[in-house]
Amino acid sequence: MQMQRLLLSTYFLFSPERRTANMAASGGRTVGSFLWKCGNCCFNFNTVSSNLTRQVLSRQLCVSAVLHRKNLAAAGPEKFSEEFIKKQVEEFNIGKRHLANMMGEDPETFTQGDINRSIAYLFPSGLFDKKAKPLMKHPDEDTFTKALAVEKHQDRLRGKDLFTQDAKQISLVGSRWLLKEELEELLVETISEHDYARFIQLMERLLSLPYCSVEEDFVQRYRRQLEIQSSKQQVQPLQYDQHGVAYSTGDGRRKTATGTVLLRDSGSGSISINGTNYVHYFPVLQDREQLMFPLHFMGVLGRFDMQCSVSGGGHSSQAGALRLAISRAMLSFLSEGQVETMRQAGLLTPDPRIKERKKPGQEGARRKFTWKKR
Amino acid sequence: SFENRLAFRWFWLPEPVRPLHGSGCGQQQEAVGMEMRPETFSIFRTQENDPDCQSEQHQGQYYTVPPSHFHTVFPHGLPPRYQQQVKTFNEGCVMVRQPALELISHLKRADYSKPTLRYLLYGVKGSGKTMSLCHTVHYCSTQGWLVLHIPDAHLWVKNCKELLPSSYHASRFDQPIQASNWLRNFRTTNENFLSKIKLRQRYVWTKRESTEEGQPLGELVDMGVSRVKSSSDVVGAVLKELRLQAGGTEGGFRLAVAVDGVNGLWGRTTLKKEDKSPVAPEELTLVHNLRKMINNDWCGGAVIATLSQTGSLYAPSSAYLPQELLGEEGFDSMDPFIPVPVSLYSEKEFESCYLYYLDRHWLQHPHSQTEEGKKELIFLSNRNPSVLERLCAFL
């Protein structure tokens, strides 16, 4: 109980702005537990300064800090009520007396200046910012007023039934942040990479705060909509020949091989490439599997008859070109959802890989000449 | 697939005795009354192991070659992949297919007093020509014919290490190894005939060696196997004797000449003489004698040949028609012949093959046992028997 009181008092020793800073918080907790340890055992500080015991203590401190953290999380957000503040004041006074005992001074005549000096002596801090250094102040001085004001405001709103929970979220799906170049264009000034990264960081932080939907317009000004990929596909309508059989054409290219396919419905799954059977044209199993992939994926293996013509490239690239051509020809037979699944399977994307250029001073595109030591 | 089998049972159940005319007659069973049969056999197999009694009823079904026949009838004739399959499955099953049935029906009805008919099996690569040939050879041997089975004529025109100038004819070349191998296999195939047939002529091999008239053929063959140097001439002699005696009324045996890869006899060879000039096929003794055999100037038998692109030399891989593969000379020699086209598996045959592999647990992959997997197999192989076999080999 005593431990909890002391820990809580020192948790609020530090100013609220730095409470979220990890280093300060953990420092505060270690300070609190350290003080507790000192208070219990009436340790002289000089003997504690040996490294071994400090490490032992710090190890134990860390454990208790973890436990303390867990407890806080379970308890929920703090309520800044009047009795709570009174408790804090009591704990501050007790802590002041313990500190005076530790420093060997008279607890009755221990002033705020004395407290500051003792804390600076006990916890020498190399930090430059005054607000980041450890401090111990009376709770009444500017610690809870802000939080109390916020609480009062919320109570008033609740009374008027205007206090709504933050249910509206800005939808960020389907949009992206402005690129650096676009931001530069908007603001008509050059921005460095660090500035841009900081900007994005701040915008993300803004979105993480509650009631961010109030500033939705502001946020949306700096976002761009992404285009839906599948709407870019131009699906040609089905054509019907004289017997009423539906057919469609498609062409595809891969690495200097081009192929065209005429896909006919209500067939038996026969395929002829440049006039010959596909089993003779592609003796390699891999090429035939490439041809099979779009049909098998949509489950229409035996349905279509195909007449293909292909030229250029080698056998693999011809197979790839035909695969793309078949997928494109099949689009007109399929529904929107199936088109989207085909696109996501990568059947409609032309393969951009081409032969890499040979560079001078090297034997090939990547291969270097044989290295000779002498 | 049990439901598949059931469905097919109702579909396929053959009537016991009724002969059916026309081709592809499994479907006609439906119109005939259906009976319930106990499940003693599965759909893709037939109990009819005698090629004589097989008819179009059994088309698409597998029949088992009895193990006793296996080593005598087919010492050297089967395709190597099929031999491996036989060893794996521990049984030799052959599918009854339309080209073989057609051939067998022709052989049954032919008149053997007239000059020999020549049949030519042709088709795309891997469609089953050699297997049909072997099926016919099995039929011939069960009927008691004398079978002259040359496994692959291409083996005689390429990759020969030893070429001896012939003792009999100055400009010709002998191939002792190939000839002796073939004689050995010939001996295994036709054991019972070797003692019955007597020679009608005296053959002199060297100053000391000679075979007298009236000796059984077996002695000649043994001599050819042991004396490797003159084995090619022995082959020539054997062929001549058989040609003379085939249609004869006293001896009374029928001669079946089965040649696989007959287009090799008229093409080019890869062999070279010592002065690096190429050898023409006519200059090889074996080829010369075989060509005489294929001519239809004898009677009392049949010549069954297949074209083969696989082993052929200097032929494009897309060629499978007789004209392309035989060349002008070959076509003129073979003309007139009865062409028998061998096609890829029909739907029924494919189904049968698929069920056979399933039955033998050859298709291990779980997806291949589903309907979708079957569709994929059909697509990838386009119902080509050899392609399907190679595909299933690693599934």
Side-chain angles (χ1 to χ4, degrees):
Chain A
M1 197 53 217
Q2 197 183 17
M3 170 189 89
Q4 272 180 338
R5 223 184 295 149
L6 270 168
L7 283 171
L8 277 171
S9 66
T10 47
Y11 181 72
F12 295 106
L13 264 179
F14 300 91
S15 47
E17 295 104 48
R18 299 295 162 184
R19 206 169 288 144
T20 48
N22 282 332
M23 202 174 73
S26 56
R29 287 188 203 112
T30 49
V31 161
S33 352
F34 183 72
L35 267 181
W36 166 64
K37 292 281 183 192
C38 291
N40 268 346
C41 345
C42 287
F43 246 41
N44 203 356
F45 182 69
N46 290 323
T47 55
V48 179
S49 58
S50 60
N51 270 338
L52 195 59
T53 39
R54 188 178 283 168
Q55 273 170 18
V56 162
L57 274 174
S58 58
R59 234 180 282 138
Q60 283 169 326
L61 291 174
C62 291
V63 166
S64 51
V66 163
L67 287 173
H68 174 62
R69 209 177 295 140
K70 274 197 192 147
N71 275 335
L72 263 191
E78 300 293 339
K79 291 272 167 23
F80 299 99
S81 48
E82 292 294 329
E83 63 267 18
F84 176 73
I85 296 169
K86 264 194 219 148
K87 230 176 18 171
Q88 296 302 309
V89 173
E90 265 177 41
E91 281 173 13
F92 171 77
N93 287 329
I94 295 169
K96 197 169 88 170
R97 295 182 79 86
H98 278 303
L99 190 59
N101 272 334
M102 260 199 285
M103 297 306 288
E105 306 218 3
D106 186 14
E108 308 300 327
T109 56
F110 208 53
T111 60
Q112 185 61 43
D114 291 329
I115 296 175
N116 291 341
R117 260 182 286 117
S118 339
I119 294 288
Y121 173 72
L122 284 175
F123 304 105
S125 157
L127 303 167
F128 292 111
D129 198 344
K130 292 233 169 41
K131 287 190 192 157
K133 290 184 186 162
L135 64 97
M136 190 167 160
K137 269 202 186 147
H138 194 95
D140 279 343
E141 293 174 31
D142 238 13
T143 324
F144 300 115
T145 38
K146 260 194 202 166
L148 274 176
V150 169
E151 283 258 312
K152 255 196 217 163
H153 177 72
Q154 281 185 352
D155 289 337
R156 255 184 264 131
L157 284 181
R158 268 194 210 104
K160 289 189 200 168
D161 261 338
L162 290 171
F163 186 69
T164 49
Q165 280 302 311
D166 175 36
K168 224 164 60 151
Q169 291 282 334
I170 307 182
S171 102
L172 300 168
V173 173
S175 57
R176 58 164 176 86
W177 289 116
L178 278 183
L179 294 174
K180 184 158 161 292
E181 291 77 22
E182 289 169 353
L183 191 61
E184 280 179 2
E185 213 180 345
L186 188 70
L187 300 177
V188 198
E189 64 172 301
T190 48
I191 306 173
S192 76
E193 274 180 35
H194 293 290
D195 284 342
Y196 179 67
R198 182 78 182 132
F199 165 71
I200 297 293
Q201 209 180 12
L202 288 172
M203 295 301 277
E204 293 285 342
R205 195 169 163 205
L206 178 65
L207 289 174
S208 69
L209 295 173
Y211 291 99
C212 56
S213 46
V214 176
E215 298 298 327
E216 189 172 337
D217 296 325
F218 174 74
V219 169
Q220 291 289 3
R221 235 187 294 157
Y222 297 99
R223 287 191 78 92
R224 288 275 176 278
Q225 284 297 116
L226 294 166
E227 304 124 354
I228 305 168
Q229 288 292 326
S230 60
S231 59
K232 270 202 246 168
Q233 295 289 338
Q234 290 141 359
V235 175
Q236 264 145 26
L238 273 183
Q239 299 155 51
Y240 291 87
D241 67 355
Q242 60 224 117
H243 301 286
V245 174
Y247 72 93
S248 73
T249 51
D251 43 76
R253 230 188 290 205
R254 164 107 210 267
K255 210 193 190 192
T256 66
T258 49
T260 49
V261 159
L262 182 82
L263 208 66
R264 250 192 271 264
D265 204 352
S266 63
S268 59
S270 67
I271 307 181
S272 72
I273 307 182
N274 284 356
T276 54
N277 200 7
Y278 65 113
V279 174
H280 292 297
Y281 195 79
F282 287 134
V284 180
L285 181 68
Q286 186 189 351
D287 300 335
R288 270 176 277 144
E289 276 180 353
Q290 288 285 300
L291 285 188
M292 188 176 80
F293 180 29
L295 305 172
H296 177 248
F297 188 69
M298 307 298 355
V300 288
L301 264 182
R303 190 172 139 196
F304 294 109
D305 270 342
M306 284 187 260
Q307 273 169 299
C308 324
S309 60
V310 70
S311 63
H315 65 97
S316 267
S317 46
Q318 282 185 346
L322 278 181
R323 183 182 106 173
L324 185 58
I326 292 171
S327 326
R328 287 200 182 142
M330 264 170 68
L331 284 181
S332 33
F333 287 98
L334 300 175
S335 65
E336 279 287 327
Q338 286 175 314
V339 166
E340 183 59 27
T341 45
M342 285 240 308
R343 184 191 70 80
Q344 286 185 354
L347 278 168
L348 301 174
T349 334
D351 202 335
R353 299 178 284 178
I354 50 169
K355 197 163 167 174
E356 202 175 307
R357 182 211 143 169
K358 175 199 174 312
K359 284 106 193 169
Q362 293 175 1
E363 199 169 307
R366 299 283 172 100
R367 160 124 174 98
K368 321 283 186 279
F369 288 119
T370 316
W371 179 72
K372 293 210 176 70
K373 203 163 178 179
R374 46 187 73 86
Chain B
S1 92
F2 184 70
E3 298 83 52
N4 257 352
R5 287 200 183 173
L6 262 182
F8 270 105
R9 165 144 313 117
W10 291 109
F11 200 57
W12 277 37
L13 215 50
E15 274 265 295
V17 189
R18 179 125 39 122
L20 289 162
H21 306 285
S23 56
C25 16
Q27 282 86 14
Q28 295 172 18
Q29 307 283 2
E30 257 189 334
V32 185
M34 295 196 272
E35 309 161 18
M36 283 300 292
R37 281 261 181 97
E39 264 189 67
T40 47
F41 62 98
S42 22
I43 292 303
F44 53 89
R45 280 192 206 268
T46 170
Q47 305 300 91
E48 196 57 70
N49 286 344
D50 187 10
D52 193 21
C53 313
Q54 282 160 1
S55 63
E56 286 113 351
Q57 273 183 354
H58 307 102
Q59 201 172 325
Q61 291 179 329
Y62 279 86
Y63 82 95
T64 326
V65 177
S68 51
H69 285 186
F70 218 78
H71 295 289
T72 45
V73 180
F74 299 123
H76 55 172
L78 294 169
R81 281 197 82 96
Y82 182 72
Q83 277 173 350
Q84 285 171 350
Q85 188 183 305
V86 165
K87 212 162 105 177
T88 319
F89 292 166
N90 242 354
E91 61 171 9
C93 277
V94 181
M95 194 194 273
V96 175
R97 289 186 77 193
Q98 194 269 333
L101 284 173
E102 198 182 311
L103 258 183
I104 292 173
S105 64
H106 281 308
L107 289 173
K108 280 186 201 169
R109 292 187 303 225
D111 185 0
Y112 290 106
S113 51
K114 303 247 182 67
T116 41
L117 286 169
R118 291 172 298 190
Y119 308 93
L120 191 61
L121 288 160
Y122 70 96
V124 288
K125 197 155 81 165
S127 54
K129 304 181 282 288
T130 312
M131 287 308 293
S132 302
L133 185 73
C134 293
H135 187 172
T136 322
V137 160
H138 186 218
Y139 163 76
C140 296
S141 65
T142 49
Q143 294 291 299
W145 293 32
L146 205 164
V147 173
L148 216 72
H149 188 45
I150 288 113
D152 198 355
H154 293 300
L155 293 175
W156 290 356
V157 298
K158 58 180 178 175
N159 299 341
C160 179
K161 298 286 165 63
E162 285 184 14
L163 261 189
L164 300 175
S166 167
S167 48
Y168 185 68
H169 204 275
S171 61
R172 290 210 210 120
F173 290 94
D174 271 357
Q175 284 153 308
I177 317 171
Q178 275 95 344
S180 52
N181 275 339
W182 184 80
L183 278 174
R184 218 173 292 133
N185 288 325
F186 174 72
R187 191 169 53 182
T188 333
T189 322
N190 303 302
E191 293 275 3
N192 43 349
F193 283 101
L194 294 175
S195 43
K196 284 190 221 156
I197 303 172
K198 306 280 183 239
L199 299 176
R200 286 192 191 162
Q201 199 192 324
R202 186 169 175 262
Y203 295 100
V204 181
W205 308 116
T206 56
K207 271 183 233 161
R208 281 170 234 163
E209 302 275 328
S210 69
T211 321
E212 299 300 326
E213 208 176 308
Q215 295 270 346
L217 194 65
E219 218 185 278
L220 192 62
V221 175
D222 288 331
M223 219 222 68
V225 173
S226 48
R227 298 258 182 292
V228 180
K229 257 199 169 167
S230 40
S231 48
S232 320
D233 295 321
V234 169
V235 169
V238 163
L239 293 180
K240 191 161 145 199
E241 286 294 319
L242 291 174
R243 221 177 22 243
L244 290 172
Q245 297 189 20
T249 40
E250 352 64 62
F253 66 89
R254 298 225 186 113
L255 182 62
V257 182
V259 188
D260 202 342
V262 78
N263 48 321
L265 298 178
W266 286 284
R268 290 151 63 182
T269 67
T270 49
L271 307 173
K272 292 207 173 70
K273 295 179 226 171
E274 274 120 16
D275 52 352
K276 309 281 179 78
S277 59
V279 175
E282 300 84 40
E283 295 177 19
L284 294 168
T285 334
L286 289 172
V287 175
H288 181 83
N289 291 321
L290 197 55
R291 280 199 201 173
K292 279 197 261 178
M293 205 66 195
I294 296 182
N295 281 335
N296 56 352
D297 49 3
W298 53 282
C299 51
V303 175
I304 315 157
T306 49
L307 293 177
S308 165
Q309 196 281 322
T310 328
S312 75
L313 303 158
Y314 310 106
S317 61
S318 54
Y320 71 96
L321 294 170
Q323 268 158 314
E324 296 162 356
L325 281 175
L326 282 175
E328 271 213 41
E329 203 190 321
F331 198 80
D332 291 330
S333 327
M334 285 295 285
D335 204 22
F337 60 87
I338 303 175
V340 181
V342 181
S343 60
L344 304 176
Y345 278 161
S346 67
E347 290 208 16
K348 195 162 102 178
E349 288 170 343
F350 180 86
E351 179 73 32
S352 170
C353 184
Y354 177 73
L355 287 174
Y356 177 63
Y357 283 143
L358 278 183
D359 175 63
R360 294 276 99 197
H361 301 293
W362 192 230
L363 294 171
Q364 288 284 324
H365 198 280
H367 188 63
S368 61
Q369 289 153 9
T370 61
E371 268 301 316
E372 285 206 11
K374 202 168 98 178
K375 279 196 205 159
E376 281 183 46
L377 284 174
I378 296 180
F379 187 94
L380 284 175
S381 63
N382 200 24
R383 295 208 198 91
N384 187 319
S386 72
V387 175
L388 178 66
E389 197 260 314
R390 266 162 230 265
L391 199 53
C392 297
F394 57 80
L395 279 179

